[in-house]
Structures are given as C-alpha cells and as structure tokens.
Amino acid sequence: MKRSTYGWLALALLALVGPLITDNSFIRDMWVLVAMWGAVATAWNLIGGYAGGLSLGHAAFFGIGAYTSSLLYTTFHISPWLGALAGGVLAMLSALVIGLITIRLRGPFFALATLAFAAILGIAATNLRWLTHGSEGMTIPFAPSMNNAIFASKLDYYYIALALLMVFIATTWWIARSRFGYYLVALRENEDAAQALGIDGLRVKLTATLLSAFMTALVGSFYAQYRLFFDPSIFATSLSVQIALFPIIGGLGTVWGPLIGAAILVPLTAELRSTLGSSVAGIDTFVYGTVLILGILFVPNGLVSVLRPLFVRRPRPADQNVQAGT
Amino acid sequence: MTLALFAQLLVAGVLLGGVYALISIGLTLIFGVMRVVNFAHGELLMLGMYLSYYLVTAVHMNPYLALVVVAPALYLFGLLVEVTIIRSTIGRSDVVQVFATVGLSIVLQAGALMAFSANVVGINVPITNALVQLGPLSMGVPQLLAFAAAMLVASGLFVFLRSTDIGRAIRATAQDRSAAALMGINVAGIYRLTFGLGSAMTGLAGALLMPIYSVSPTVGEQFVLIAFVVVVLGGLGSVTGALVGGLLIGIVETFSGFVIDPQWKQAVYFLIFLGVLVFRPAGLFGARGSEELSTS
Amino acid sequence: MSALLELHHVEKRFGGLHAVKDVSLSVRAGEIVGLIGPNGAGKTTLFSCIAGYHRLTAGSIVFDGYEIANHPAFKICRAGVARTFQVVKPFARMTVLQSVMVGTFLHHRDTPTARQSALAVLERLHMTHLADVEAHSLTLVLKKRLEVARALATEPRLLLLDEVMAGLSPGEVPEILDVIHEINAGGVTVLFVEHIMAAVMTIAKRVVVLHHGELLADGTPAEVSRDPQVVSAYLGEEYAGA
C-alpha cells in the first residue's frame, strides 16, 4: 500500500474512535463541535470558497434550519429528522429569493447584502413572538429517543455530525472534480470570461447557493437538537463571520480547508474561553479576530497551503500519481 | 395624523438624519478614495464614544469640548490602522479586503469588552436633556448640535476637497490611482491621510452621539448597518449622497417607527438597503458614483 | 456557401458616443475575415455586440439563421460563437489545462473526456508543455494564446479573435498564423480584429474596414489596400499617430 493510504486509514480511525478515548464531557463536546462547525464551514465553502461569493449571511440558513425543525417538533411533534429536511427546503427557497437579488453583486456588496438578509431574519425572529417565542428563545424538552433525534450521549451526536461532515466533504470532493466545480471556479476567477465559454453564471451560482443553504440548514437543525436551546442570536452577524472564518483560515476553495480551520479554531477558542474567558471577558473573540486578521493578511491561501508541502513529497517516479489530498 | 404631529415627526426625522449622515461621512470618504469597504467603521464610532465618555465622566470635560481631543485621537488611531492593516489589503482579493476589516471589527469589539466591560453606560450632564421649543415643535439640543455638526463637517469636507491642494490630490487619487501616482502624488500618503481623516470624522461623530446615546462594546453594530444603508443609498463615495441618504433614512425611520411597531423599524431600512443594492447599486447620487468620489 | 453570420444595420451608442453606426456585414461559412480600422473605430465594440456583451441600440444579428442580438453571452457561445478578449481575462488561479477544460466541458460533460479534449486543443496550439502552469504566471503573449485555446475548446463554428497577435515578436507571428489557418481548415469560420497589417493581408481572404464606427470598405486585401478612402482614413492616421 502507498504511504498516503496509511495516512487516510489513520485519519479515518482517528475520526471513528477518537472520541471514545476519554469520556470527559468537555473533550467530547469539542469533537462534536469540530465536526459540526466543520460541516457548516464546508457548506459555506461551496459558495464562499469555490464560487467566490463571500456570504456574511449564512447564519440565516443555519437559523432557518434550527427554527424549522424545532418548531415542527415542539408544535406538531414532527420528528426532527423530517423537520431538518423541511428546514433545508425552506432554506433553499429563501436562498433562491436572496440569491436572485444579490448574486450579481460583487465582493463587499454581496457580503453586505447577505448580512442584511440575516439581520432581517434576526429581527423577525425577535419580534414574531407568537411563532418563535422572541428573545426568550426556543427550548426543546429533553426526551431522548431516536425518533426525537435527542440523545443522552454526546457520542450519538458526534456520529451524526461526523456523518454530515463526511457527506458534505464527499460532495465537495466530487464537485471539485466535476464540470460544476470547474464552472464555479471559473466564475470566481473571471465572470465575463466564464460567460464567454457558455457558462450560465446566474444558474450555476444559484445552484451552489441552494446546495450550500440546504447543507447549512441541516446542521442548524442538528445544532438545535444538540443544544436543545437557542434564541434569535442564532441569526447574528458574528455567527456568519465565524462560519466564514474556518474556511478562510483552513483554505478557501479546498476540500479539507474548512475542516482544518474548524479543527484548529474550535478547540483553541473553547480552551481560551474556559481558561481566560471567565477572568477577562472577550479574550476569546479577541484572539479569534487577531487570528483572522493575521491569517487573511499573511496566509491568504489558508493553512492548507502551508500544510500541503509537508504531506506531498517531491514526486518520485514511483508515486507521481499521488495528488494533494485537497 | 395632524399637521402638528407630522411636523414634529419630520423635524425629529431630519435631526435623526443629521446624526446618521454624521456617522456615514467617514465611511463614504474612505470608500470613495480607497475603495475600502470598512466593516470596522462601527467600532471606530464606538471608540470615539468611549473616549468621549471617559473625558466627560473621569476628567469632567464638557462633552462638546471633548471633541477637540477625540477627533485628533481617532485621527492617530486611523493612521495606525491604515499602516498596520489597511495598507496591506489595497489591491488584493475581495476575501482579503472584506475579512481584514471584519477581523479588525471583532478585535476592537472584544478589546472594548475587555477594557470597558459589557455594561451599557451613558453621560448625564444637564445639556443632554436640554430642549429647544419652537412653537409647537420641540427639539433636543444634542440632536440639534449633531445636526449642525453634520452640516459643518459635510460642507467643510466639500470645501476642503474642492479648494485645497491636498483636497484636489485626494480627488485625483480617488479618480485614478495610477494616474495620480504618475502626476507625482504620493498615493500611499493620501491613503494614510484619508483613512485618518475618515476615522477622525467618525470619532467626532461618536463624541457628538455620546450626549444622545449610551455606549457599549457592541454599539457599533447598531450604527454600522445604518451607515452602510445611508452610504449605499446616497452612493458610496459621495459626500452629498451621505448627507441626503442620512436625512432620508432618518425621516423614513421616524415615520415608519410611528406607523409600525418600532421594533420592526430596523427591518425597514434593511429592506431599503437590499432594494437600493438591487435596483440602484450606485445609489441615488452615484451615476457612476460608486466609481468616483463625487462632490457634486 | 451561405452566410453564417449576418449583421443588419447594427447601431451602438454609449450615451453621446456613437460607437457603431449602421454596420451591415455578412460572413460566409468557412471564411477568414479580417476586421481592421484605426483605434477607436468600434471594432472591439462590434465584437462585443456580436458576442452578447453589449446590447444593441438598433439592428439585428443573425447567426446560422437565428437572431442572436441581445442574447446573453453564454447562449451565444452555446449557439456556436466563441470569442477572445482583447484585454485578456485569464482564470488566474487555474492551470492552463483546467482553463481549457472549462471550455471543453461545454460539449463533454464528464471530466476525463473534457480533459482529453482539452489536451487535444493544447496540442493544436502548441501549449501542451504548459498544461500544469497556472494562468496568472503566463506571459501576456501566452495569455493571449490561452484565450484562443479556451475559445476553441467550446468547439465553435465562428471564432471571434480580438487582437490575438498584438505584442508578438515578428518571429512569433507566423506560428499563430499557422494555428489560425489550421483552425479554419478544420471548418471554423474566423472573424478577427488585428493591428498587424501584414498579418491581416496574408491570412484574410476578405477585409472589412471600420472607421468612426462606420463600414468604410469590404473586399479582398488587395482591393481594400488600394481603396483611397481606406488609405487616407486608416493608414494615414496610423502613420500620423506613429
């Protein structure tokens, strides 16, 4: 077997049994959160990294997912498994509307427009009290069962999050190698030139946005089931920024970059929050912001660009086919 | 709606609009010249407010005298930010441009939380509650002063850009960076100056807001979106546009706050914002306005 | 042979600027037609009108019997018209091969076939050795050639080439001329804008001259170069400007 195959096997083993090593609740929470944020970041990366649409409004789709499954569950006792799908469809519908409005905007203006979209939803969630309980937030009663998608053990949540993450990464991997992926990158690099090659820019970008919204909403539902509580701050700009931060630090427009970003930043900030956060409020976000500034200025291609040379050795005749895992 | 009520709402809207214009001028100047969409704009405002707050409460300075400290302090802070961060984003990809200032906004907000705690604080000196009665209309003195300051800052900037050598150099840089450089203009210097000036104006706005609003580390979030709405409506880069955009938003907010639940009023100007981005991305005053720093 | 492309009274104004005035022109299938004219004559504007990057003020453009005026650019490409850009628009962070694959994907859905087809295009343009080079690191001359490769990758029936020879050294011109000849021999109709007169005269069977947005002459290279109007308008200004 090639050496890279051993690497992949080790990684798979780590993902599967890593959380079993300790039953420390904090550490198991980390595993869940890394998988969960890695999944959202992977979803964002489709539109933000591959298509170059810098959304600062992904909290909107995340929140739509959380609210939809939770409301269907608490009001009509519809299983969150179905509710998550309903949330995904609703997120796609909203992505269609907001996408048609904003997709031709460039760079910062797309970011601003998507930010405004999430802000409007946040205001709606705060004020539509009859539906969302306003700023009191949504509480899901703890009633563990498979049908309720509520579990007593964090391990169950972890494997669900891992499954989502793996499906999203596989989807990205497949897209990156397909015509659709080439089209997204071409549109990002130069929209005029892409159109001249027969690419329907609006349709392609909209498709990516819908897919990304659907994926993000699924994780939103997962988040609601995991935490069993959330409030309108789920639509906050800071959440949208955080979602974008992981791929930026890890590597925009790469298959593994978003997960790498989440795997480093999630434990780092959690650790900072638990050790320093109680004495100095704000230090965790301060570090977040500093990492973002330094990362964007000095490692704009993400950690993947730094790590890749370590894993991809200079090709020798025997293993010239070994490609970077990104 | 009676005529008197209408007039009172209109006056309140115009005064609020003055405040909004004031907080937007620095943003539009920086965009117009440097093409930098500064997502940390709200935090510059927040810093101005905190500085003013401490000058008033700790040093017992008159809140309007505090301006002469706050504006230069924010100018220096702007220079620091330009040299350390903004400069390295010029001419780079959208990701760098957007997320460098997003990161700065996070850092400043968290820094303020560490330094000042999350408490919402305000100043309470006699002038903060002073009213002027004009027939049936009543106007807050701080609001009037903020409005007057907005007019002064806008016209001062207008004159500065029109009739001084530096102002003309700034406008030349705004129109064509490389041509300006060929003409011997120190573009890097102009950028530094512009960012400093924009920050100073924003700090000034913060100090003028302090008698009206309370401050907390996240106060910038409330205002930055309004500022973006205003400058996009008026045409990014247009000083006059910021003035008119501010007034429009102020009036719309006051009236919509009367007609619909005030809690929804923010949603109203976000909808306006989306509408403008969709139908008139160059803003009301920006026929090619997002391309040029227009003083017309 | 029938007309592949027909322009009827095409007009384009930008505000007060009348960039293209009442241009009617037809290109038969299989032709190589050169479009020349002094700077600002409206050549690139006319190209952009054909390729769907500008809306016409008036007139119509018929390709292969179908009206294509004011259709979106991607539809015009799908109809069989490919263009290059005078100011190159590379996909900076894609390799040469990937850039060309974006074009071949139009007719080859799956990646391996698109890759094979792109490699064939690169070979025709003598760019095989550059396949894995990122587009942004190419020289301007090679970026122009990549523009041709990408356009050709969409398997067009009409290829619009906008100054692909500008900036080439005299030694490099014959090579690209050969390439264009080969493309044409393969059944692709070519309409090209060029400044290098010698190149236009050797390769084009027919030359169309634009001046101030108007059609000034249309004929064989020999006829056109003898036309006194063309000599005074085009060549005169060209030399005066030099």
Short mmCIF file of all heavy atoms in Angstrom, two decimals, chain B residues 254-291:
data_model
loop_
_atom_site.label_atom_id
_atom_site.label_comp_id
_atom_site.label_asym_id
_atom_site.label_seq_id
_atom_site.Cartn_x
_atom_site.Cartn_y
_atom_site.Cartn_z
N THR B 254 -38.20 57.55 11.39
CA THR B 254 -39.10 58.20 12.33
C THR B 254 -40.55 57.92 11.99
O THR B 254 -41.36 57.59 12.85
CB THR B 254 -38.85 59.72 12.33
OG1 THR B 254 -37.44 59.95 12.38
CG2 THR B 254 -39.49 60.38 13.52
N PHE B 255 -40.87 58.04 10.70
CA PHE B 255 -42.26 57.83 10.30
C PHE B 255 -42.66 56.36 10.39
O PHE B 255 -43.75 56.03 10.86
CB PHE B 255 -42.51 58.37 8.88
CG PHE B 255 -42.77 59.84 8.87
CD1 PHE B 255 -41.72 60.74 8.73
CD2 PHE B 255 -44.05 60.35 9.04
CE1 PHE B 255 -41.95 62.11 8.75
CE2 PHE B 255 -44.29 61.71 9.05
CZ PHE B 255 -43.24 62.59 8.91
N SER B 256 -41.75 55.46 9.94
CA SER B 256 -42.13 54.05 9.99
C SER B 256 -42.22 53.60 11.45
O SER B 256 -43.05 52.75 11.79
CB SER B 256 -41.13 53.18 9.21
OG SER B 256 -39.85 53.28 9.77
N GLY B 257 -41.38 54.21 12.31
CA GLY B 257 -41.47 53.87 13.73
C GLY B 257 -42.79 54.31 14.33
O GLY B 257 -43.27 53.75 15.32
N PHE B 258 -43.43 55.32 13.71
CA PHE B 258 -44.72 55.79 14.20
C PHE B 258 -45.85 54.92 13.66
O PHE B 258 -46.80 54.61 14.35
CB PHE B 258 -44.93 57.24 13.76
CG PHE B 258 -46.23 57.81 14.24
CD1 PHE B 258 -46.38 58.20 15.57
CD2 PHE B 258 -47.29 57.97 13.38
CE1 PHE B 258 -47.57 58.71 16.02
CE2 PHE B 258 -48.50 58.48 13.83
CZ PHE B 258 -48.64 58.86 15.15
N VAL B 259 -45.67 54.50 12.39
CA VAL B 259 -46.75 53.75 11.75
C VAL B 259 -46.71 52.28 12.16
O VAL B 259 -47.74 51.69 12.43
CB VAL B 259 -46.64 53.88 10.21
CG1 VAL B 259 -47.74 53.08 9.53
CG2 VAL B 259 -46.72 55.34 9.80
N ILE B 260 -45.52 51.70 12.17
CA ILE B 260 -45.43 50.28 12.53
C ILE B 260 -44.68 50.15 13.86
O ILE B 260 -44.11 51.12 14.36
CB ILE B 260 -44.71 49.47 11.44
CG1 ILE B 260 -43.27 49.96 11.27
CG2 ILE B 260 -45.46 49.52 10.13
CD1 ILE B 260 -42.47 49.09 10.36
N ASP B 261 -44.70 48.94 14.37
CA ASP B 261 -44.02 48.66 15.63
C ASP B 261 -42.55 49.08 15.54
O ASP B 261 -41.84 48.66 14.62
CB ASP B 261 -44.12 47.15 15.87
CG ASP B 261 -43.65 46.76 17.25
OD1 ASP B 261 -42.73 47.43 17.77
OD2 ASP B 261 -44.19 45.79 17.80
N PRO B 262 -42.07 49.91 16.46
CA PRO B 262 -40.69 50.41 16.38
C PRO B 262 -39.65 49.28 16.30
O PRO B 262 -38.57 49.47 15.76
CB PRO B 262 -40.51 51.21 17.67
CG PRO B 262 -41.85 51.34 18.28
CD PRO B 262 -42.80 50.44 17.60
N GLN B 263 -40.03 48.11 16.81
CA GLN B 263 -39.06 47.03 16.79
C GLN B 263 -38.78 46.54 15.38
O GLN B 263 -37.79 45.90 15.13
CB GLN B 263 -39.57 45.88 17.65
CG GLN B 263 -39.94 46.39 19.02
CD GLN B 263 -39.73 45.34 20.07
OE1 GLN B 263 -40.61 44.55 20.32
NE2 GLN B 263 -38.56 45.34 20.67
N TRP B 264 -39.71 46.85 14.48
CA TRP B 264 -39.53 46.43 13.09
C TRP B 264 -38.81 47.48 12.26
O TRP B 264 -38.53 47.26 11.09
CB TRP B 264 -40.88 46.12 12.45
CG TRP B 264 -41.45 44.83 12.92
CD1 TRP B 264 -42.33 44.65 13.95
CD2 TRP B 264 -41.19 43.53 12.38
NE1 TRP B 264 -42.62 43.31 14.09
CE2 TRP B 264 -41.94 42.61 13.15
CE3 TRP B 264 -40.39 43.06 11.33
CZ2 TRP B 264 -41.91 41.23 12.89
CZ3 TRP B 264 -40.38 41.70 11.09
CH2 TRP B 264 -41.12 40.81 11.86
N LYS B 265 -38.55 48.65 12.87
CA LYS B 265 -38.06 49.75 12.03
C LYS B 265 -36.71 49.42 11.40
O LYS B 265 -36.44 49.79 10.27
CB LYS B 265 -38.01 51.05 12.83
CG LYS B 265 -36.93 51.10 13.88
CD LYS B 265 -37.01 52.38 14.68
CE LYS B 265 -35.91 52.41 15.73
NZ LYS B 265 -36.02 53.54 16.63
N GLN B 266 -35.88 48.66 12.15
CA GLN B 266 -34.58 48.27 11.57
C GLN B 266 -34.79 47.44 10.32
O GLN B 266 -34.09 47.61 9.32
CB GLN B 266 -33.80 47.45 12.58
CG GLN B 266 -33.08 48.29 13.60
CD GLN B 266 -31.92 47.51 14.19
OE1 GLN B 266 -32.09 46.36 14.56
NE2 GLN B 266 -30.77 48.14 14.27
N ALA B 267 -35.76 46.54 10.39
CA ALA B 267 -36.04 45.70 9.23
C ALA B 267 -36.40 46.56 8.03
O ALA B 267 -36.05 46.24 6.89
CB ALA B 267 -37.16 44.72 9.54
N VAL B 268 -37.07 47.70 8.29
CA VAL B 268 -37.46 48.57 7.18
C VAL B 268 -36.23 49.10 6.46
O VAL B 268 -36.14 49.03 5.24
CB VAL B 268 -38.32 49.76 7.69
CG1 VAL B 268 -38.53 50.77 6.58
CG2 VAL B 268 -39.66 49.24 8.19
N TYR B 269 -35.22 49.57 7.22
CA TYR B 269 -34.11 50.09 6.42
C TYR B 269 -33.19 49.02 5.87
O TYR B 269 -32.50 49.26 4.90
CB TYR B 269 -33.36 51.26 7.06
CG TYR B 269 -32.92 51.15 8.47
CD1 TYR B 269 -31.95 50.27 8.85
CD2 TYR B 269 -33.44 52.01 9.42
CE1 TYR B 269 -31.50 50.21 10.15
CE2 TYR B 269 -33.01 51.95 10.73
CZ TYR B 269 -32.05 51.05 11.09
OH TYR B 269 -31.61 51.00 12.36
N PHE B 270 -33.24 47.82 6.43
CA PHE B 270 -32.52 46.75 5.73
C PHE B 270 -33.18 46.43 4.41
O PHE B 270 -32.52 46.14 3.42
CB PHE B 270 -32.44 45.50 6.60
CG PHE B 270 -31.50 45.64 7.74
CD1 PHE B 270 -31.81 45.15 8.99
CD2 PHE B 270 -30.30 46.29 7.57
CE1 PHE B 270 -30.94 45.29 10.05
CE2 PHE B 270 -29.41 46.44 8.62
CZ PHE B 270 -29.74 45.94 9.86
N LEU B 271 -34.52 46.49 4.40
CA LEU B 271 -35.23 46.24 3.14
C LEU B 271 -34.90 47.35 2.14
O LEU B 271 -34.68 47.08 0.96
CB LEU B 271 -36.74 46.16 3.39
CG LEU B 271 -37.18 44.86 4.06
CD1 LEU B 271 -38.66 44.92 4.45
CD2 LEU B 271 -36.94 43.66 3.13
N ILE B 272 -34.85 48.60 2.63
CA ILE B 272 -34.45 49.69 1.75
C ILE B 272 -33.06 49.42 1.18
O ILE B 272 -32.80 49.57 -0.01
CB ILE B 272 -34.44 51.03 2.52
CG1 ILE B 272 -35.85 51.40 2.97
CG2 ILE B 272 -33.84 52.14 1.66
CD1 ILE B 272 -35.91 52.65 3.81
N PHE B 273 -32.20 48.97 2.06
CA PHE B 273 -30.82 48.67 1.70
C PHE B 273 -30.76 47.63 0.58
O PHE B 273 -30.13 47.84 -0.47
CB PHE B 273 -30.13 48.14 2.97
CG PHE B 273 -28.69 47.80 2.82
CD1 PHE B 273 -27.78 48.76 2.42
CD2 PHE B 273 -28.24 46.53 3.11
CE1 PHE B 273 -26.45 48.45 2.31
CE2 PHE B 273 -26.90 46.21 3.00
CZ PHE B 273 -26.00 47.17 2.61
N LEU B 274 -31.46 46.52 0.78
CA LEU B 274 -31.49 45.49 -0.25
C LEU B 274 -32.07 46.05 -1.54
O LEU B 274 -31.57 45.80 -2.63
CB LEU B 274 -32.30 44.28 0.22
CG LEU B 274 -31.61 43.36 1.23
CD1 LEU B 274 -32.55 42.25 1.66
CD2 LEU B 274 -30.35 42.77 0.63
N GLY B 275 -33.13 46.84 -1.38
CA GLY B 275 -33.77 47.43 -2.55
C GLY B 275 -32.80 48.30 -3.34
O GLY B 275 -32.72 48.20 -4.56
N VAL B 276 -32.05 49.13 -2.62
CA VAL B 276 -31.10 50.01 -3.30
C VAL B 276 -30.01 49.20 -3.98
O VAL B 276 -29.65 49.45 -5.13
CB VAL B 276 -30.48 51.02 -2.31
CG1 VAL B 276 -29.37 51.80 -2.99
CG2 VAL B 276 -31.54 51.96 -1.80
N LEU B 277 -29.51 48.19 -3.28
CA LEU B 277 -28.46 47.36 -3.88
C LEU B 277 -28.95 46.70 -5.16
O LEU B 277 -28.22 46.53 -6.12
CB LEU B 277 -28.00 46.29 -2.90
CG LEU B 277 -27.01 46.72 -1.83
CD1 LEU B 277 -26.72 45.57 -0.89
CD2 LEU B 277 -25.72 47.23 -2.44
N VAL B 278 -30.23 46.34 -5.17
CA VAL B 278 -30.75 45.64 -6.32
C VAL B 278 -31.06 46.60 -7.47
O VAL B 278 -30.66 46.39 -8.60
CB VAL B 278 -32.02 44.87 -5.94
CG1 VAL B 278 -32.65 44.27 -7.18
CG2 VAL B 278 -31.68 43.79 -4.95
N PHE B 279 -31.77 47.66 -7.13
CA PHE B 279 -32.29 48.50 -8.22
C PHE B 279 -31.39 49.66 -8.58
O PHE B 279 -31.43 50.16 -9.69
CB PHE B 279 -33.69 49.02 -7.85
CG PHE B 279 -34.68 47.92 -7.67
CD1 PHE B 279 -35.19 47.61 -6.43
CD2 PHE B 279 -35.07 47.15 -8.77
CE1 PHE B 279 -36.09 46.57 -6.27
CE2 PHE B 279 -35.97 46.11 -8.61
CZ PHE B 279 -36.49 45.83 -7.37
N ARG B 280 -30.60 50.11 -7.65
CA ARG B 280 -29.77 51.28 -7.96
C ARG B 280 -28.46 51.14 -7.21
O ARG B 280 -28.17 51.89 -6.27
CB ARG B 280 -30.53 52.54 -7.51
CG ARG B 280 -29.91 53.83 -7.96
CD ARG B 280 -30.68 54.52 -9.08
NE ARG B 280 -30.06 55.80 -9.44
CZ ARG B 280 -29.03 55.87 -10.26
NH1 ARG B 280 -28.50 54.79 -10.76
NH2 ARG B 280 -28.51 57.05 -10.57
N PRO B 281 -27.65 50.13 -7.59
CA PRO B 281 -26.46 49.84 -6.80
C PRO B 281 -25.51 51.03 -6.67
O PRO B 281 -24.72 51.09 -5.75
CB PRO B 281 -25.81 48.67 -7.53
CG PRO B 281 -26.55 48.46 -8.77
CD PRO B 281 -27.81 49.22 -8.72
N ALA B 282 -25.58 51.97 -7.59
CA ALA B 282 -24.68 53.12 -7.48
C ALA B 282 -25.25 54.17 -6.54
O ALA B 282 -24.61 55.18 -6.28
CB ALA B 282 -24.43 53.72 -8.85
N GLY B 283 -26.44 53.93 -5.99
CA GLY B 283 -27.03 54.90 -5.07
C GLY B 283 -27.74 56.01 -5.80
O GLY B 283 -27.73 56.09 -7.02
N LEU B 284 -28.39 56.87 -5.02
CA LEU B 284 -29.19 57.93 -5.62
C LEU B 284 -28.32 58.99 -6.27
O LEU B 284 -28.71 59.63 -7.23
CB LEU B 284 -30.07 58.57 -4.55
CG LEU B 284 -31.06 57.64 -3.86
CD1 LEU B 284 -31.80 58.36 -2.76
CD2 LEU B 284 -32.04 57.08 -4.87
N PHE B 285 -27.13 59.19 -5.72
CA PHE B 285 -26.28 60.26 -6.22
C PHE B 285 -25.09 59.75 -6.99
O PHE B 285 -24.14 60.43 -7.23
CB PHE B 285 -25.80 61.15 -5.07
CG PHE B 285 -26.84 62.07 -4.63
CD1 PHE B 285 -27.88 61.62 -3.85
CD2 PHE B 285 -26.84 63.39 -5.04
CE1 PHE B 285 -28.89 62.45 -3.46
CE2 PHE B 285 -27.86 64.24 -4.66
CZ PHE B 285 -28.88 63.77 -3.85
N GLY B 286 -25.13 58.51 -7.33
CA GLY B 286 -23.93 57.94 -7.92
C GLY B 286 -24.16 57.41 -9.29
O GLY B 286 -24.06 56.22 -9.51
N ALA B 287 -24.45 58.29 -10.26
CA ALA B 287 -24.37 57.86 -11.63
C ALA B 287 -22.89 57.62 -11.82
O ALA B 287 -22.10 58.55 -11.78
CB ALA B 287 -24.86 58.95 -12.57
N ARG B 288 -22.49 56.40 -11.95
CA ARG B 288 -21.09 56.01 -11.86
C ARG B 288 -20.50 56.48 -10.52
O ARG B 288 -19.32 56.61 -10.36
CB ARG B 288 -20.25 56.62 -12.98
CG ARG B 288 -20.43 55.90 -14.29
CD ARG B 288 -19.59 56.55 -15.38
NE ARG B 288 -18.20 56.64 -14.98
CZ ARG B 288 -17.32 55.64 -15.07
NH1 ARG B 288 -17.73 54.49 -15.50
NH2 ARG B 288 -16.08 55.80 -14.72
N GLY B 289 -21.40 56.74 -9.56
CA GLY B 289 -20.96 57.38 -8.33
C GLY B 289 -20.12 56.47 -7.46
O GLY B 289 -19.28 56.94 -6.71
N SER B 290 -20.35 55.16 -7.59
CA SER B 290 -19.53 54.29 -6.76
C SER B 290 -18.12 54.22 -7.33
O SER B 290 -17.24 53.66 -6.76
CB SER B 290 -20.15 52.90 -6.69
OG SER B 290 -20.33 52.38 -7.98
N GLU B 291 -17.94 54.80 -8.50
CA GLU B 291 -16.62 54.77 -9.11
C GLU B 291 -15.78 55.98 -8.70
O GLU B 291 -14.57 55.95 -8.76
CB GLU B 291 -16.75 54.80 -10.65
CG GLU B 291 -17.60 53.70 -11.22
CD GLU B 291 -16.98 52.34 -11.00
OE1 GLU B 291 -15.75 52.24 -11.09
OE2 GLU B 291 -17.73 51.40 -10.71
#
